Amino acid sequence: MVGRAVVTPFGPYLDEKAGVPPIRLGPGPVLPPYRSFRGAPVLEAFFSALLILVCVGVLAFTVVAVKKLYQGQR
């Protein structure tokens, strides 16, 4: 039994180490921290406007619901 490796189906996974990978110190390609494309500001403006419209709609619904709720109290 000396010199024989134990083969398990989890062998490759046991060789991996948990945690954050080390920082490379050697030369390599310099990449920006994120990739952007030309349509990003347009998409951001669209979704911001959509979010504002949803907030206004929820606020308007709340006002109407409260108004109807207290309408019969007079």
Side-chain angles (χ1 to χ4, degrees), residues 14-26:
L14 295 176
D15 291 339
E16 296 176 3
K17 294 180 181 172
V20 181
I23 299 172
R24 287 189 340 175
L25 298 176

Side-chain angles (χ1 to χ4, degrees), residues 15-57:
D15 291 339
E16 296 176 3
K17 294 180 181 172
V20 181
I23 299 172
R24 287 189 340 175
L25 298 176
V30 178
L31 299 175
Y34 61 90
R35 288 185 170 181
S36 63
F37 57 96
R38 193 176 185 104
V42 175
L43 280 178
E44 184 178 355
F46 173 75
F47 285 113
S48 296
L50 190 63
L51 180 64
I52 291 169
L53 286 175
V54 167
C55 291
V56 169

